[in-house]
Amino acid sequence: MDINSASSAILANFFNYGANWNLILLIIIGCSVVSFAIFIERLMQLHRSEIDTNQFIIAMRKNIKEGNLVEAIQMCEKTGGTIGAIVKAGVLKHNRGKEQIESAMEIAGLIEIARLEKNAKILSIISHVAPLIGLLGTVLGFIQAFAEMRLSGLVDISATRIGEAMEYALVTTAAGLVVAIPSVLAYNYIVSRVEGFVLEIQTSSAEIVDLLIDREEAYS
């Protein structure tokens, strides 16, 4: 047996579909577990960050107009969430200029958005990588099938072993797609929710800045 035949035999045995620890399928399964865990964790984080924005802004408007800034800050801390943290950053700078207030809220907004988007990119990466891993398994399956044909000869070809190799090739492709499709949907859902937060941040921040500036001008 020459070197090429020996290497083909080793490759065929290592990536045998019936192997107990199939590397490609294990990687795809690992990707599915990571994707599911990240999606659930992001959903929980987004849920914790949600508040009734309209009620919060109404209460903040009342406190700011009446000059109850301490109560306004306490309300932000009690309410929590993304909007609460950003508004608090602006209220703490109430005695500064408009640019400094906006800057403080912008920095707080960037921090909060980064917190909301944390690990979401991993879903996108998995959605792109999982089909490629499945395709790698397909290629390896075909390599195994052709190696069986070449090593066995036309007379002694084992239909069972070739069938196993082809089945392996198809299973890995299907597994990669099964992981990738939900990961794409999960990533886009998370992104759409974050975009909704960004819109709320922009509208709420603009109103709070105007209220703080009007109050300072009225007391100056």
Side-chain angles (χ1 to χ4, degrees):
M1 182 182 293
D2 58 20
I3 296 176
N4 290 332
S5 297
S7 62
S8 297
I10 293 171
L11 187 64
N13 290 330
F14 184 75
F15 290 106
N16 190 343
Y17 173 72
N20 291 329
W21 297 101
N22 187 281
L23 182 61
I24 300 298
L25 289 178
L26 283 177
I27 293 174
I28 293 175
I29 292 171
C31 289
S32 68
V33 172
V34 172
S35 179
F36 181 76
I38 290 175
F39 180 62
I40 296 300
E41 186 272 335
R42 286 296 87 197
L43 284 182
M44 294 174 63
Q45 180 62 49
L46 290 170
H47 179 71
R48 287 194 297 267
S49 299
E50 284 183 336
I51 63 171
D52 188 340
T53 305
N54 291 330
Q55 289 295 114
F56 176 72
I57 293 299
I58 290 172
M60 289 299 298
R61 186 187 299 124
K62 180 176 181 295
N63 286 326
I64 291 173
K65 286 184 176 180
E66 295 177 355
N68 301 323
L69 298 181
V70 174
E71 292 183 11
I73 293 172
Q74 291 175 347
M75 182 178 179
C76 291
E77 294 174 346
K78 181 179 179 181
T79 302
T82 300
I83 303 297
I86 295 170
V87 171
K88 178 185 174 182
V91 176
L92 288 172
K93 301 287 185 179
H94 66 90
N95 57 345
R96 307 292 178 87
K98 181 177 180 180
E99 293 183 358
Q100 291 182 334
I101 296 175
E102 290 178 341
S103 177
M105 297 181 76
E106 182 178 354
I107 293 172
L110 292 174
I111 294 172
E112 290 298 316
I113 292 171
R115 185 171 61 84
L116 293 175
E117 293 178 340
K118 182 181 178 182
N119 296 330
K121 283 290 183 183
I122 297 177
L123 291 174
S124 178
I125 293 172
I126 290 175
S127 69
H128 287 85
V129 170
L132 297 178
I133 297 173
L135 181 60
L136 175 61
T138 299
V139 173
L140 293 174
F142 279 110
I143 290 174
Q144 181 181 344
F146 286 117
E148 288 289 339
M149 293 179 187
R150 187 161 65 86
L151 294 173
S152 302
L154 294 177
V155 178
D156 300 324
I157 289 177
S158 172
T160 300
R161 290 183 64 82
I162 292 175
E164 287 179 352
M166 300 301 290
E167 184 180 8
Y168 169 84
L170 296 175
V171 165
T172 55
T173 299
L177 293 175
V178 166
V179 174
I181 293 171
S183 296
V184 170
L185 296 175
Y187 174 72
N188 284 282
Y189 176 77
I190 296 298
V191 169
S192 66
R193 290 283 300 274
V194 173
E195 288 176 351
F197 274 104
V198 171
L199 181 59
E200 286 187 357
I201 289 169
Q202 291 174 342
T203 55
S204 301
S205 298
E207 182 170 357
I208 294 299
V209 169
D210 290 339
L211 288 170
L212 291 173
I213 296 301
D214 291 343
R215 176 189 174 280
E216 291 301 315
E217 289 178 352
Y219 282 86
S220 61

